[in-house]
Amino acid sequence: MSDIFREVDEDIRHEKYRRLWDRFGSWVIAVAVLIVVGTGGYRGWLYWQDTQSQSAGDTFLEAVSLSEAGQYSEASQLYTELGSSIGGYPALAQMRQATDKANAGDATAALAEFDALSRDSNLAPALQNVAALRAAYIAVDSEPYDAIADRIESLTGDTDAFRAAARELLALSAWKNGDAETALTWITALEDDAETPQDIRQRVTLLGGLIRGQTGTPAEEGTAQ
């Protein structure tokens, strides 16, 4: 009797499974197909991304080589191509194009491009800051101190990664514009900062010595800690 009951139970279970499959089988198959297609599509997208990134990287390196060889027109064509590439290459290409214009003697165009990049909220903050510094480097010989400060004074905080470069530029700008007191303030900040790079420290020490000699400011005020 127990064997009969067991067979009946199995028949009932099989009948339930058959009914469930008849009802939901097509959905199970559809979900399985979607999973397979989705996984394949995602892997295909990753492969495409990797291929595009490698191609953009090769193009960028070729353009940089042309730039360094002074072939700015040829390099510009490649940088323009990178404008529609993926990742950070479009921004890097714009930065290099602006640098090429500066190197080719077109400081006005280069300054305008770096200023535009520094205000582009679509860029990573680090790239915006680099663009602001590059603009300040170009403008320091021709624009007043306030114009330089507007670009980079926000980068001079005690924990900012670009503080040394920004402080040096502000010291130089202040000195060029006849403001020895402000120049010495930035020089002292650099001298007191243990993380100031050695090359910058050497330059501002020379500038500080020159300014103090001209103004009669005691050297102890700007002595490095």
Side-chain angles (χ1 to χ4, degrees):
M1 291 293 293
S2 62
D3 290 342
I4 293 174
F5 286 130
R6 187 164 48 252
E7 289 180 5
V8 170
D9 286 341
E10 290 179 356
D11 288 342
I12 292 173
R13 283 198 298 272
H14 289 159
E15 180 63 21
K16 287 181 178 179
Y17 292 149
R18 185 186 65 78
R19 289 178 180 177
L20 285 172
W21 179 257
D22 290 343
R23 185 175 180 182
F24 299 110
S26 59
W27 289 102
V28 172
I29 293 173
V31 170
V33 169
L34 284 175
I35 291 173
V36 172
V37 172
T39 301
Y42 177 68
R43 291 187 176 278
W45 179 78
L46 288 178
Y47 175 77
W48 179 84
Q49 287 275 88
D50 186 57
T51 301
Q52 292 296 307
S53 180
Q54 289 182 5
S55 176
D58 291 342
T59 300
F60 183 74
L61 289 176
E62 183 182 354
V64 169
S65 296
L66 291 170
S67 293
E68 292 177 348
Q71 300 179 41
Y72 301 128
S73 178
E74 293 84 350
S76 179
Q77 293 178 7
L78 295 181
Y79 290 134
T80 300
E81 290 179 15
L82 288 168
S84 59
S85 62
I86 64 174
Y89 287 108
L92 291 175
Q94 287 179 283
M95 299 273 276
R96 287 295 312 194
Q97 278 188 305
T99 299
D100 284 356
K101 289 179 180 179
N103 292 337
D106 192 352
T108 301
L111 179 59
E113 290 196 21
F114 279 123
D115 277 337
L117 288 168
S118 72
R119 295 189 294 265
D120 188 348
S121 60
N122 292 319
L123 295 184
L127 288 178
Q128 288 181 275
N129 293 340
V130 170
L133 281 170
R134 291 291 289 117
Y137 273 114
I138 295 172
V140 72
D141 289 326
S142 60
E143 294 191 3
Y145 174 83
D146 288 346
I148 305 302
D150 284 344
R151 291 182 175 93
I152 60 172
E153 192 167 9
S154 62
L155 307 180
T156 60
D158 290 339
T159 60
D160 198 286
F162 299 108
R163 65 185 182 278
R167 290 170 178 175
E168 182 186 19
L169 273 170
L170 288 167
L172 180 60
S173 178
W175 175 64
K176 283 178 173 291
N177 285 276
D179 188 349
E181 182 179 355
T182 300
L184 286 175
T185 297
W186 291 117
I187 290 171
T188 300
L190 286 162
E191 292 173 332
D192 291 346
D193 188 346
E195 296 184 9
T196 297
Q198 190 60 31
D199 58 335
I200 293 179
R201 185 180 297 276
Q202 290 174 347
R203 290 196 296 269
V204 298
T205 296
L206 291 173
L207 179 59
L210 174 63
I211 295 173
R212 292 174 184 123
Q214 291 175 339
T215 61
T217 304
E220 289 79 9
E221 294 183 13
T223 302
Q225 301 297 316

